Amino acid sequence: MKTGVGATRRGVLAAALLALVALSAPTALFAQAADPLPSWNEGAAKQQIRAFVERVTREGAPDFVPVAERVAVFDNDGTLWSEKPVYFQFMFALDRLKELAKANPALAGQEPYKSALSGDPKALAALGEKGLLQIVALTHSGITVTEFNALVRDWLKTARHPRFDRPYTELVFQPMLELLAYLRANDFKTFIVSGGGVEFMRAFTEPVYGIPPEQVVGSSGKTEFALDGDTPVLRKLPEVEFIDDGPGKPVGINRFIGRRPLFAAGNSDGDEQMLQWTTMNTGARFGLIVHHTDAVREWAYDRNSPVGRLDKALDEAPARGWLVVDMKNDWNVIYPFEKK
């Protein structure tokens, strides 16, 4: 073994070469070493997610899935962001209704608008699905798709959540943002498949979730093409075209995505059929349910909640092998603003 000045120089040279290799190594090598889900507590939920992704992305493994088939679908309300005290889109509709009532005061004396404008939570709850749909039809139609998109964007800039006094786009779940990024880093194509309005969601999904508008499937109203002078426009009509909820979700996935998902995430009985469609198939599949169990940092609700009811799907989960994520125990951070 050689010692002395020559050995010392060789040692320094070797260290320098290692440093150069480290600097020139692909970022992905270091990303693999880092925890891709830091807001998830160590435990079974996190382990199951990582084990599944490794199984389907490791070439040569029995459950390997080609990149083209790696489709992941996510519900939005209650799965990617909060949904209490009512769906955020309905909060937008209420604010829009107030503006329309200023221009047309007669609306304030007509039901269901009168009850909606009263601000009384009991009156709002009593509107029922028919009343809510009527309000949405009024507030989401009569304008072009472009004008509607601008209204939603402007509303999201100024509207504040009644409990947290923060913009609604800050009420997204940090662990789910990490999950979306982790799947995309492993060549999954991520889609939103939600009962929310497709035009409403497309106004913010790309900057908030990294999901472009063409990868958003949602409920939709009818639109019509027209020429406004020499300007082509799509005008929103007060008629329902498609409800992307419950059994409508597999229909929407087939119609707008065209591939059966490998991974599906939801939080309510409205996602049950989407989870069934995804997981009740051959090969490796993954179903995930976000269970709202944290009354301190968010809300705790499931079987009896009028918003985001989780009853049948919760009972079905063990038999189907769906992962039920316990928000209180599985997440060390819920919202991005909680990060230190």
Side-chain angles (χ1 to χ4, degrees):
M1 180 177 178
K2 296 181 179 180
T3 59
V5 176
T8 302
R9 287 176 176 171
R10 284 193 293 275
V12 171
L13 179 59
L17 287 172
L18 285 171
L20 286 172
V21 170
L23 287 172
S24 60
T27 304
L29 291 177
F30 299 101
Q32 290 175 6
D35 183 356
L37 304 172
S39 297
W40 294 70
N41 289 324
E42 296 300 330
K46 185 173 182 176
Q47 290 170 6
Q48 286 181 45
I49 293 170
R50 296 199 64 175
F52 172 78
V53 172
E54 289 169 8
R55 280 172 58 202
V56 298
T57 59
R58 189 170 63 249
E59 289 195 37
D63 292 323
F64 175 76
V65 176
V67 170
E69 298 175 21
R70 296 179 199 168
V71 170
V73 293
F74 289 76
D75 170 58
N76 182 51
D77 296 307
T79 301
L80 295 180
W81 70 357
S82 289
E83 59 185 356
K84 293 281 189 174
V86 295
Y87 298 122
F88 296 171
Q89 184 174 355
F90 188 63
M91 299 297 287
F92 162 77
L94 286 178
D95 286 344
R96 172 106 172 109
L97 178 61
K98 292 173 186 176
E99 294 300 315
L100 293 176
K102 289 179 182 177
N104 181 11
L107 286 174
Q110 303 172 20
E111 292 292 0
Y113 315 122
K114 181 179 180 180
S115 293
L117 292 168
S118 71
D120 181 0
K122 291 184 179 180
L124 286 173
L127 290 175
E129 183 178 356
K130 182 179 179 181
L132 296 179
L133 287 175
Q134 192 172 337
I135 291 168
V136 169
L138 175 71
T139 58
H140 289 49
S141 64
I143 54 178
T144 67
V145 168
T146 302
E147 290 168 337
F148 182 79
N149 186 279
L151 285 172
V152 175
R153 289 176 182 272
D154 288 343
W155 180 79
L156 288 171
K157 290 176 184 177
T158 58
R160 313 284 287 192
H161 189 274
R163 173 180 169 184
F164 294 97
D165 193 30
R166 287 179 176 273
Y168 287 92
T169 48
E170 290 186 15
L171 276 294
V172 297
F173 300 140
Q174 178 63 28
M176 298 303 282
L177 294 179
E178 293 168 3
L179 177 55
L180 287 168
Y182 177 48
L183 291 174
R184 287 194 288 263
N186 284 277
D187 296 317
F188 279 76
K189 195 170 186 178
T190 54
F191 292 81
I192 287 178
V193 179
S194 176
V198 65
E199 300 297 348
F200 179 82
M201 293 186 290
R202 284 174 175 169
F204 66 86
T205 58
E206 190 159 31
V208 175
Y209 303 135
I211 297 178
E214 65 270 21
Q215 289 169 219
V216 177
V217 180
S219 299
S220 59
K222 291 184 179 180
T223 57
E224 66 175 4
F225 174 82
L227 283 177
D228 186 1
D230 286 331
T231 303
V233 298
L234 284 174
R235 186 166 288 107
K236 293 174 65 63
L237 304 175
E239 301 174 55
V240 174
E241 179 183 47
F242 176 65
I243 298 295
D244 189 51
D245 196 35
K249 289 197 173 189
V251 174
I253 290 169
N254 182 65
R255 181 187 300 181
F256 300 110
I257 300 175
R259 286 189 186 273
R260 200 159 178 172
L262 192 67
F263 186 109
N267 79 295
S268 73
D269 285 353
D271 303 307
E272 182 183 21
Q273 288 83 3
M274 178 174 76
L275 289 163
Q276 292 170 339
W277 177 243
T278 299
T279 62
M280 295 171 66
N281 196 12
T282 57
R285 305 277 162 173
F286 201 96
L288 181 152
I289 294 175
V290 175
H291 190 190
H292 294 260
T293 57
D294 199 321
V296 175
R297 294 184 298 172
E298 206 241 9
W299 284 270
Y301 60 95
D302 44 42
R303 299 185 189 276
N304 298 313
S305 176
V307 174
R309 177 175 177 158
L310 177 62
D311 184 23
K312 294 180 181 179
L314 187 60
D315 290 336
E316 189 176 353
R320 301 292 185 202
W322 301 337
L323 171 64
V324 179
V325 175
D326 185 322
M327 183 181 286
K328 182 177 181 180
N329 294 314
D330 289 329
W331 292 354
N332 60 67
V333 166
I334 290 184
Y335 300 121
F337 56 78
E338 294 176 358
K339 291 195 302 180
K340 296 179 181 178

